[in-house]
Amino acid sequence: MCNAKSKTILYVGPIGKNWIDDCIPHEARVEFLESTNILRHISSIRFLFFFCFNFFRDFSYVVRYPRSLAQLSALDAQKKDLILSCSDNWPWLQYYSSRRSSPTFLVQNATRKCSERRKKFSPILSTYVAWGEIENVIFRTCSISVKNFYPVGSLKLGVAFEKYRDSVSHAKKDIVFISQFRPTKGFMEPSSFDPKEIDSVINKYQQISFQLVHDFARKNNREVTVISKTRGPVHYQLEKDYFANLACEYDFEFIAGDKEKREFDTYFSCFSANVIVSLSSSLAFEMLAAGKKVLFTGSGLDNFPAQFDVEAYFDALPREVKLEEQSLDHFNRKLLELESLSELDFQALVLGPARSIVNFYTEELPQHRIKSILHQKLQITS
């Protein structure tokens, strides 16, 4: 028998810290460790012990990545029964999970490029909490071995859905466009286009996509809602001005997604949408699995799928949700066809393929599935 709160889960990293409590068994308690506060631990005796010990134990790794010595030592110095993190692409944390006995659950928080995994991911992952079964296929393609693979779905999607379902009604939206804006030179200075700079290329494709949405909305009398990519008040106006310039005085609604105050506003807007348009946003894949009508424009723009390494995701989806050519007539036809489909017909068409990417069932939401897994792993008894 375990006393209540006798098990400690150490949550590592900033992503998800505002909602992860909804994914934790009630019998466990959570402590937080962010990379920014690791320096707070350097004066502890445990940290100093592991700092010296790990220099020899992990010598070959810390010589290549000197900053990892403090990170690994801070983690070793914490008293914990299990480590949980949505910073699944942190190489030092992946290394830790494969070299330590402490159970370490890395949680997927976005779609991941195969090229990114080959460059940044450890060849061995101890435990990976994935969005869907397709991730295991991609891992094998990238020669990455996962010892324990749990395709539970997107935790944040599940938490957002539950909050949306339990909240007051939200105003319906015609078209939601998911922004992929970043406050960088590639977006802010489009005249200085650099084909080798990723933000310049994304900006080029996003301008084409938004122009298609803009022209469709004008022609068919639709209202457009843009949901932000930026997650802080410093950059909201920059992003809004960017789209205002593209909209050419056509009115649109702008939804900010402040991580501290409006964590789920972008999700709520998508849940309220009639149709969603996106290049290849992770949020769009989440929404498709939740049964929302989504049109991916990236699939029909030049060499976008190969250039941005999203072919595995696009290939899994039916043609009805993918743009196939870059023309307004084609875009109009695809979007009107989506609008005309009943929800039942649309979901019958896409939910199977979509859930291979993001496993999502309202009967058992992802946060409740991970709770059960963590409960069993911690061997908590009531």
Side-chain angles (χ1 to χ4, degrees), residues 192-220:
S192 58
F193 176 75
D194 182 355
K196 296 181 181 179
E197 173 56 46
I198 186 170
D199 284 349
S200 284
V201 179
I202 293 175
N203 177 50
K204 168 192 166 184
Y205 288 124
Q206 176 159 271
Q207 288 195 29
I208 295 171
S209 296
F210 189 74
Q211 187 65 50
L212 291 171
V213 170
H214 167 269
D215 292 347
F216 176 90
R218 277 188 182 274
K219 181 178 179 180
N220 296 281

mmCIF file of all heavy atoms in Angstrom, residues 192-220:
data_model
loop_
_atom_site.group_PDB
_atom_site.id
_atom_site.type_symbol
_atom_site.label_atom_id
_atom_site.label_comp_id
_atom_site.label_asym_id
_atom_site.label_seq_id
_atom_site.Cartn_x
_atom_site.Cartn_y
_atom_site.Cartn_z
ATOM 1 N N SER A 192 14.029 40.293 -48.777
ATOM 2 C CA SER A 192 15.360 39.686 -48.710
ATOM 3 C C SER A 192 15.241 38.163 -48.644
ATOM 4 O O SER A 192 15.822 37.516 -47.777
ATOM 5 C CB SER A 192 16.128 40.207 -47.496
ATOM 6 O OG SER A 192 15.406 39.946 -46.293
ATOM 7 N N PHE A 193 14.482 37.580 -49.579
ATOM 8 C CA PHE A 193 14.224 36.138 -49.580
ATOM 9 C C PHE A 193 15.519 35.347 -49.732
ATOM 10 O O PHE A 193 16.351 35.627 -50.589
ATOM 11 C CB PHE A 193 13.269 35.778 -50.724
ATOM 12 C CG PHE A 193 13.035 34.300 -50.856
ATOM 13 C CD1 PHE A 193 12.216 33.633 -49.962
ATOM 14 C CD2 PHE A 193 13.637 33.576 -51.878
ATOM 15 C CE1 PHE A 193 11.996 32.267 -50.088
ATOM 16 C CE2 PHE A 193 13.415 32.213 -52.016
ATOM 17 C CZ PHE A 193 12.594 31.565 -51.110
ATOM 18 N N ASP A 194 15.674 34.349 -48.870
ATOM 19 C CA ASP A 194 16.845 33.477 -48.895
ATOM 20 C C ASP A 194 16.355 32.027 -48.952
ATOM 21 O O ASP A 194 15.802 31.517 -47.976
ATOM 22 C CB ASP A 194 17.704 33.700 -47.648
ATOM 23 C CG ASP A 194 18.967 32.843 -47.638
ATOM 24 O OD1 ASP A 194 19.130 32.009 -48.551
ATOM 25 O OD2 ASP A 194 19.780 33.005 -46.709
ATOM 26 N N PRO A 195 16.519 31.337 -50.070
ATOM 27 C CA PRO A 195 16.016 29.966 -50.198
ATOM 28 C C PRO A 195 16.669 28.979 -49.237
ATOM 29 O O PRO A 195 16.161 27.870 -49.050
ATOM 30 C CB PRO A 195 16.338 29.608 -51.655
ATOM 31 C CG PRO A 195 17.446 30.535 -52.050
ATOM 32 C CD PRO A 195 17.206 31.803 -51.288
ATOM 33 N N LYS A 196 17.777 29.381 -48.624
ATOM 34 C CA LYS A 196 18.449 28.513 -47.655
ATOM 35 C C LYS A 196 17.987 28.773 -46.226
ATOM 36 O O LYS A 196 18.359 28.023 -45.319
ATOM 37 C CB LYS A 196 19.968 28.705 -47.749
ATOM 38 C CG LYS A 196 20.552 28.285 -49.092
ATOM 39 C CD LYS A 196 22.058 28.479 -49.115
ATOM 40 C CE LYS A 196 22.654 28.081 -50.466
ATOM 41 N NZ LYS A 196 24.116 28.301 -50.498
ATOM 42 N N GLU A 197 17.208 29.834 -46.032
ATOM 43 C CA GLU A 197 16.720 30.201 -44.710
ATOM 44 C C GLU A 197 15.295 29.680 -44.542
ATOM 45 O O GLU A 197 14.382 30.064 -45.276
ATOM 46 C CB GLU A 197 16.756 31.721 -44.538
ATOM 47 C CG GLU A 197 16.122 32.250 -43.269
ATOM 48 C CD GLU A 197 16.717 31.646 -42.013
ATOM 49 O OE1 GLU A 197 17.959 31.576 -41.919
ATOM 50 O OE2 GLU A 197 15.927 31.244 -41.127
ATOM 51 N N ILE A 198 15.082 28.808 -43.558
ATOM 52 C CA ILE A 198 13.806 28.109 -43.422
ATOM 53 C C ILE A 198 12.638 29.069 -43.221
ATOM 54 O O ILE A 198 11.556 28.890 -43.795
ATOM 55 C CB ILE A 198 13.862 27.063 -42.278
ATOM 56 C CG1 ILE A 198 12.558 26.242 -42.272
ATOM 57 C CG2 ILE A 198 14.099 27.732 -40.932
ATOM 58 C CD1 ILE A 198 12.612 25.045 -41.354
ATOM 59 N N ASP A 199 12.834 30.142 -42.448
ATOM 60 C CA ASP A 199 11.734 31.070 -42.211
ATOM 61 C C ASP A 199 11.361 31.835 -43.473
ATOM 62 O O ASP A 199 10.189 32.160 -43.692
ATOM 63 C CB ASP A 199 12.082 32.039 -41.082
ATOM 64 C CG ASP A 199 11.971 31.387 -39.710
ATOM 65 O OD1 ASP A 199 11.431 30.278 -39.629
ATOM 66 O OD2 ASP A 199 12.423 31.989 -38.720
ATOM 67 N N SER A 200 12.346 32.130 -44.315
ATOM 68 C CA SER A 200 12.050 32.783 -45.593
ATOM 69 C C SER A 200 11.181 31.889 -46.467
ATOM 70 O O SER A 200 10.234 32.350 -47.115
ATOM 71 C CB SER A 200 13.344 33.118 -46.339
ATOM 72 O OG SER A 200 14.001 34.240 -45.792
ATOM 73 N N VAL A 201 11.495 30.610 -46.464
ATOM 74 C CA VAL A 201 10.751 29.663 -47.294
ATOM 75 C C VAL A 201 9.339 29.466 -46.744
ATOM 76 O O VAL A 201 8.355 29.450 -47.500
ATOM 77 C CB VAL A 201 11.501 28.322 -47.385
ATOM 78 C CG1 VAL A 201 10.710 27.325 -48.229
ATOM 79 C CG2 VAL A 201 12.891 28.521 -47.975
ATOM 80 N N ILE A 202 9.224 29.307 -45.413
ATOM 81 C CA ILE A 202 7.890 29.158 -44.814
ATOM 82 C C ILE A 202 7.041 30.392 -45.096
ATOM 83 O O ILE A 202 5.856 30.301 -45.420
ATOM 84 C CB ILE A 202 7.994 28.917 -43.291
ATOM 85 C CG1 ILE A 202 8.641 27.562 -43.012
ATOM 86 C CG2 ILE A 202 6.608 28.958 -42.647
ATOM 87 C CD1 ILE A 202 8.881 27.290 -41.542
ATOM 88 N N ASN A 203 7.653 31.563 -44.981
ATOM 89 C CA ASN A 203 6.935 32.796 -45.255
ATOM 90 C C ASN A 203 6.407 32.827 -46.686
ATOM 91 O O ASN A 203 5.263 33.216 -46.945
ATOM 92 C CB ASN A 203 7.848 34.003 -45.008
ATOM 93 C CG ASN A 203 7.175 35.309 -45.349
ATOM 94 O OD1 ASN A 203 6.055 35.569 -44.916
ATOM 95 N ND2 ASN A 203 7.835 36.139 -46.146
ATOM 96 N N LYS A 204 7.233 32.394 -47.625
ATOM 97 C CA LYS A 204 6.810 32.341 -49.034
ATOM 98 C C LYS A 204 5.569 31.467 -49.197
ATOM 99 O O LYS A 204 4.568 31.868 -49.819
ATOM 100 C CB LYS A 204 7.958 31.798 -49.877
ATOM 101 C CG LYS A 204 7.569 31.426 -51.310
ATOM 102 C CD LYS A 204 8.675 30.621 -51.972
ATOM 103 C CE LYS A 204 8.200 29.951 -53.261
ATOM 104 N NZ LYS A 204 9.244 29.086 -53.847
ATOM 105 N N TYR A 205 5.606 30.263 -48.601
ATOM 106 C CA TYR A 205 4.480 29.347 -48.720
ATOM 107 C C TYR A 205 3.256 29.859 -47.955
ATOM 108 O O TYR A 205 2.112 29.690 -48.398
ATOM 109 C CB TYR A 205 4.875 27.960 -48.205
ATOM 110 C CG TYR A 205 5.815 27.208 -49.118
ATOM 111 C CD1 TYR A 205 7.034 26.736 -48.657
ATOM 112 C CD2 TYR A 205 5.470 26.954 -50.442
ATOM 113 C CE1 TYR A 205 7.899 26.038 -49.488
ATOM 114 C CE2 TYR A 205 6.324 26.252 -51.279
ATOM 115 C CZ TYR A 205 7.540 25.798 -50.796
ATOM 116 O OH TYR A 205 8.390 25.115 -51.639
ATOM 117 N N GLN A 206 3.492 30.471 -46.813
ATOM 118 C CA GLN A 206 2.362 30.970 -46.034
ATOM 119 C C GLN A 206 1.650 32.104 -46.760
ATOM 120 O O GLN A 206 0.419 32.190 -46.735
ATOM 121 C CB GLN A 206 2.821 31.449 -44.647
ATOM 122 C CG GLN A 206 1.704 32.080 -43.828
ATOM 123 C CD GLN A 206 1.977 32.081 -42.353
ATOM 124 O OE1 GLN A 206 1.641 31.134 -41.641
ATOM 125 N NE2 GLN A 206 2.592 33.154 -41.868
ATOM 126 N N GLN A 207 2.401 32.979 -47.407
ATOM 127 C CA GLN A 207 1.775 34.061 -48.158
ATOM 128 C C GLN A 207 0.892 33.509 -49.277
ATOM 129 O O GLN A 207 -0.215 34.010 -49.510
ATOM 130 C CB GLN A 207 2.850 34.985 -48.735
ATOM 131 C CG GLN A 207 3.544 35.836 -47.681
ATOM 132 C CD GLN A 207 4.338 36.977 -48.286
ATOM 133 O OE1 GLN A 207 3.997 37.484 -49.343
ATOM 134 N NE2 GLN A 207 5.393 37.399 -47.615
ATOM 135 N N ILE A 208 1.356 32.474 -49.947
ATOM 136 C CA ILE A 208 0.547 31.848 -51.004
ATOM 137 C C ILE A 208 -0.737 31.266 -50.403
ATOM 138 O O ILE A 208 -1.842 31.460 -50.930
ATOM 139 C CB ILE A 208 1.355 30.745 -51.711
ATOM 140 C CG1 ILE A 208 2.551 31.345 -52.457
ATOM 141 C CG2 ILE A 208 0.459 29.958 -52.672
ATOM 142 C CD1 ILE A 208 3.521 30.314 -52.994
ATOM 143 N N SER A 209 -0.597 30.561 -49.281
ATOM 144 C CA SER A 209 -1.748 29.920 -48.643
ATOM 145 C C SER A 209 -2.768 30.944 -48.171
ATOM 146 O O SER A 209 -3.980 30.781 -48.382
ATOM 147 C CB SER A 209 -1.291 29.067 -47.455
ATOM 148 O OG SER A 209 -0.472 28.013 -47.871
ATOM 149 N N PHE A 210 -2.267 31.997 -47.535
ATOM 150 C CA PHE A 210 -3.205 32.995 -47.015
ATOM 151 C C PHE A 210 -3.884 33.753 -48.155
ATOM 152 O O PHE A 210 -5.053 34.134 -48.045
ATOM 153 C CB PHE A 210 -2.494 33.973 -46.081
ATOM 154 C CG PHE A 210 -3.432 34.883 -45.343
ATOM 155 C CD1 PHE A 210 -4.191 34.411 -44.290
ATOM 156 C CD2 PHE A 210 -3.587 36.217 -45.721
ATOM 157 C CE1 PHE A 210 -5.081 35.242 -43.610
ATOM 158 C CE2 PHE A 210 -4.466 37.054 -45.060
ATOM 159 C CZ PHE A 210 -5.215 36.563 -44.000
ATOM 160 N N GLN A 211 -3.179 33.946 -49.246
ATOM 161 C CA GLN A 211 -3.779 34.605 -50.405
ATOM 162 C C GLN A 211 -4.929 33.769 -50.955
ATOM 163 O O GLN A 211 -5.978 34.302 -51.337
ATOM 164 C CB GLN A 211 -2.730 34.828 -51.496
ATOM 165 C CG GLN A 211 -3.220 35.670 -52.673
ATOM 166 C CD GLN A 211 -3.546 37.091 -52.271
ATOM 167 O OE1 GLN A 211 -2.726 37.749 -51.623
ATOM 168 N NE2 GLN A 211 -4.724 37.570 -52.633
ATOM 169 N N LEU A 212 -4.757 32.456 -50.981
ATOM 170 C CA LEU A 212 -5.835 31.574 -51.423
ATOM 171 C C LEU A 212 -7.057 31.689 -50.498
ATOM 172 O O LEU A 212 -8.201 31.763 -50.963
ATOM 173 C CB LEU A 212 -5.346 30.128 -51.473
ATOM 174 C CG LEU A 212 -4.314 29.782 -52.554
ATOM 175 C CD1 LEU A 212 -3.752 28.377 -52.330
ATOM 176 C CD2 LEU A 212 -4.921 29.893 -53.958
ATOM 177 N N VAL A 213 -6.798 31.692 -49.193
ATOM 178 C CA VAL A 213 -7.885 31.836 -48.216
ATOM 179 C C VAL A 213 -8.568 33.190 -48.376
ATOM 180 O O VAL A 213 -9.806 33.296 -48.383
ATOM 181 C CB VAL A 213 -7.346 31.668 -46.776
ATOM 182 C CG1 VAL A 213 -8.412 32.049 -45.745
ATOM 183 C CG2 VAL A 213 -6.883 30.239 -46.544
ATOM 184 N N HIS A 214 -7.759 34.233 -48.494
ATOM 185 C CA HIS A 214 -8.266 35.598 -48.649
ATOM 186 C C HIS A 214 -9.166 35.715 -49.879
ATOM 187 O O HIS A 214 -10.281 36.255 -49.826
ATOM 188 C CB HIS A 214 -7.068 36.547 -48.733
ATOM 189 C CG HIS A 214 -7.390 37.930 -49.198
ATOM 190 N ND1 HIS A 214 -7.353 38.298 -50.530
ATOM 191 C CD2 HIS A 214 -7.761 39.036 -48.511
ATOM 192 C CE1 HIS A 214 -7.685 39.577 -50.634
ATOM 193 N NE2 HIS A 214 -7.937 40.053 -49.435
ATOM 194 N N ASP A 215 -8.714 35.190 -51.018
ATOM 195 C CA ASP A 215 -9.486 35.289 -52.259
ATOM 196 C C ASP A 215 -10.768 34.463 -52.179
ATOM 197 O O ASP A 215 -11.820 34.887 -52.669
ATOM 198 C CB ASP A 215 -8.638 34.829 -53.446
ATOM 199 C CG ASP A 215 -7.475 35.784 -53.737
ATOM 200 O OD1 ASP A 215 -7.477 36.907 -53.190
ATOM 201 O OD2 ASP A 215 -6.568 35.390 -54.493
ATOM 202 N N PHE A 216 -10.680 33.279 -51.566
ATOM 203 C CA PHE A 216 -11.868 32.445 -51.385
ATOM 204 C C PHE A 216 -12.895 33.149 -50.504
ATOM 205 O O PHE A 216 -14.103 33.149 -50.814
ATOM 206 C CB PHE A 216 -11.476 31.106 -50.759
ATOM 207 C CG PHE A 216 -12.638 30.212 -50.432
ATOM 208 C CD1 PHE A 216 -13.117 29.300 -51.362
ATOM 209 C CD2 PHE A 216 -13.276 30.285 -49.199
ATOM 210 C CE1 PHE A 216 -14.195 28.474 -51.072
ATOM 211 C CE2 PHE A 216 -14.355 29.466 -48.894
ATOM 212 C CZ PHE A 216 -14.821 28.565 -49.837
ATOM 213 N N ALA A 217 -12.429 33.741 -49.407
ATOM 214 C CA ALA A 217 -13.338 34.403 -48.469
ATOM 215 C C ALA A 217 -14.044 35.582 -49.129
ATOM 216 O O ALA A 217 -15.252 35.789 -48.939
ATOM 217 C CB ALA A 217 -12.561 34.861 -47.236
ATOM 218 N N ARG A 218 -13.307 36.358 -49.887
ATOM 219 C CA ARG A 218 -13.914 37.501 -50.595
ATOM 220 C C ARG A 218 -14.976 37.023 -51.592
ATOM 221 O O ARG A 218 -16.080 37.576 -51.677
ATOM 222 C CB ARG A 218 -12.831 38.276 -51.343
ATOM 223 C CG ARG A 218 -12.065 39.294 -50.500
ATOM 224 C CD ARG A 218 -11.172 40.137 -51.387
ATOM 225 N NE ARG A 218 -10.392 41.097 -50.631
ATOM 226 C CZ ARG A 218 -10.829 42.310 -50.275
ATOM 227 N NH1 ARG A 218 -12.057 42.680 -50.605
ATOM 228 N NH2 ARG A 218 -10.055 43.126 -49.600
ATOM 229 N N LYS A 219 -14.643 36.001 -52.334
ATOM 230 C CA LYS A 219 -15.538 35.506 -53.385
ATOM 231 C C LYS A 219 -16.784 34.860 -52.806
ATOM 232 O O LYS A 219 -17.885 34.982 -53.375
ATOM 233 C CB LYS A 219 -14.787 34.512 -54.269
ATOM 234 C CG LYS A 219 -15.620 33.955 -55.413
ATOM 235 C CD LYS A 219 -14.792 33.011 -56.280
ATOM 236 C CE LYS A 219 -15.640 32.438 -57.421
ATOM 237 N NZ LYS A 219 -14.836 31.523 -58.277
ATOM 238 N N ASN A 220 -16.646 34.170 -51.668
ATOM 239 C CA ASN A 220 -17.746 33.379 -51.128
ATOM 240 C C ASN A 220 -18.339 33.949 -49.838
ATOM 241 O O ASN A 220 -19.102 33.269 -49.142
ATOM 242 C CB ASN A 220 -17.263 31.942 -50.880
ATOM 243 C CG ASN A 220 -16.860 31.230 -52.157
ATOM 244 O OD1 ASN A 220 -17.708 30.751 -52.893
ATOM 245 N ND2 ASN A 220 -15.553 31.175 -52.415
#
